Amino acid sequence: MKPYWGGRFSTAAGGKGANQAVAAARAGGNVAFVAKLGRDMFGDKALEGLKADHIDTAGVSRDPEAPSGVAEIFVSDSGENSIAVASGANARLQPDVIKKAEASLESADILVMQLEIPLQTIQAAAELALKYNLTTILNPAPAQPLSDELLNTVDIITPNESETRLLTGIEVQDNDSAQKAADILHAKGIGTVIITLGKKGVYISDQNTGEHIPGFSVKAVDTTAAGDVFNGALAVGLAEKQPLQNAIKFANAAAALSVTQLGAQPSAPHRDAILNLLKGKENS
């Protein structure tokens, strides 16, 4: 294989769940985070960063045997990325840890989940969310098949186009195909389907009524964590009782801002920047 010479190397905090937590906190949310880190320098740095963003880390445990999860991300000149992940301690986050964090769930409004932890742990969290009447958001990434039992516990699902194809068998090419995919997910018990379309925005189907909500036009530098930022900001908008379409526009603005910066967590924007972009769009 011919090597590629050049480019730049940098390190930054990441991990889908942590990215979403940081994005929600910077967007104005009061966030509690449940995760597992290794007892290593990466875990120390991750915990330090979470606390700097005023995230409740009581639900973060340290694994004495497994290293912290890491990812290697290659970013093209156009800003698109490809990712290789070594899950480490993340893959050892078992349902008993969720039970220990039950107090955080009891006092929450929104639960955001993604697929970098074991499916049985996600199922346990979703069932506790039902117990306490939380709104559940599932970001089905990294993509993998999901059981109807799990999907039936989800209020809102936020797949991108490739994840939608894996879950439904539908290639999203336009509003009609997006709605067909959404209908399949509705039939599995999910009330709200939000298909993220990158710079094109999102397609939303709420109780089988769909519409396209456009994104914001920005110069993309790095798309890493844009989906995570969208999900974190969406959770904040919904926790603030914003109408769904407004919460999605808020999340679109946050995601747009994130792709203008390098890195995962470093690119998550703060609330003032999100509101300024929304204000500029409204005035344009």
Side-chain angles (χ1 to χ4, degrees), residues 179-281:
Q179 188 59 55
K180 288 178 182 177
D183 288 342
I184 292 172
L185 294 169
H186 287 315
K188 296 179 183 295
I190 301 173
T192 302
V193 177
I194 301 171
I195 301 173
T196 59
L197 305 170
K199 64 183 180 182
K200 293 179 289 186
V202 304
Y203 185 84
I204 171 179
S205 180
D206 187 32
Q207 301 300 334
N208 302 91
T209 300
E211 68 173 301
H212 174 252
I213 298 178
F216 292 78
S217 180
V218 296
K219 180 175 174 56
V221 173
D222 180 4
T223 60
T224 304
D228 297 332
V229 170
F230 176 90
N231 280 275
L234 175 67
V236 172
L238 294 175
E240 294 175 345
K241 309 302 181 187
Q242 294 183 27
L244 181 59
Q245 283 79 359
N246 288 11
I248 288 173
K249 291 174 184 176
F250 182 78
N252 272 349
L257 287 168
S258 77
V259 306
T260 66
Q261 304 294 324
L262 290 171
Q265 288 173 32
S267 72
H270 288 83
R271 185 178 182 88
D272 287 350
I274 300 170
L275 295 177
N276 284 339
L277 181 56
L278 283 168
K279 183 179 179 181
K281 183 75 171 181

Side-chain angles (χ1 to χ4, degrees), residues 1-94:
M1 180 182 293
K2 184 178 178 180
Y4 172 79
W5 298 100
R8 291 177 293 167
F9 173 79
S10 64
T11 60
K16 293 194 69 63
N19 295 342
Q20 291 163 4
V22 168
R26 292 183 187 171
N30 182 15
V31 181
F33 184 48
V34 179
K36 181 165 282 194
L37 299 168
R39 292 189 179 277
D40 52 28
M41 64 177 183
F42 296 113
D44 293 343
K45 191 70 175 176
L47 203 56
E48 178 184 320
L50 293 166
K51 290 178 178 177
D53 276 302
H54 308 291
I55 293 168
D56 180 351
T57 59
V60 177
S61 57
R62 308 295 292 270
D63 193 309
E65 299 176 0
S68 298
V70 296
E72 187 170 35
I73 305 170
F74 295 91
V75 183
S76 71
D77 290 339
S78 65
E80 297 299 318
N81 67 74
S82 57
I83 305 174
V85 177
S87 298
N90 234 12
R92 292 159 63 100
L93 184 70
Q94 296 300 315

Side-chain angles (χ1 to χ4, degrees), residues 105-123:
L105 286 170
E106 186 176 1
S107 61
D109 296 306
I110 309 284
L111 171 65
V112 182
M113 304 176 290
Q114 38 67 41
L115 304 182
E116 283 189 342
I117 60 175
L119 287 179
Q120 64 266 31
T121 306
I122 295 169
Q123 184 73 51

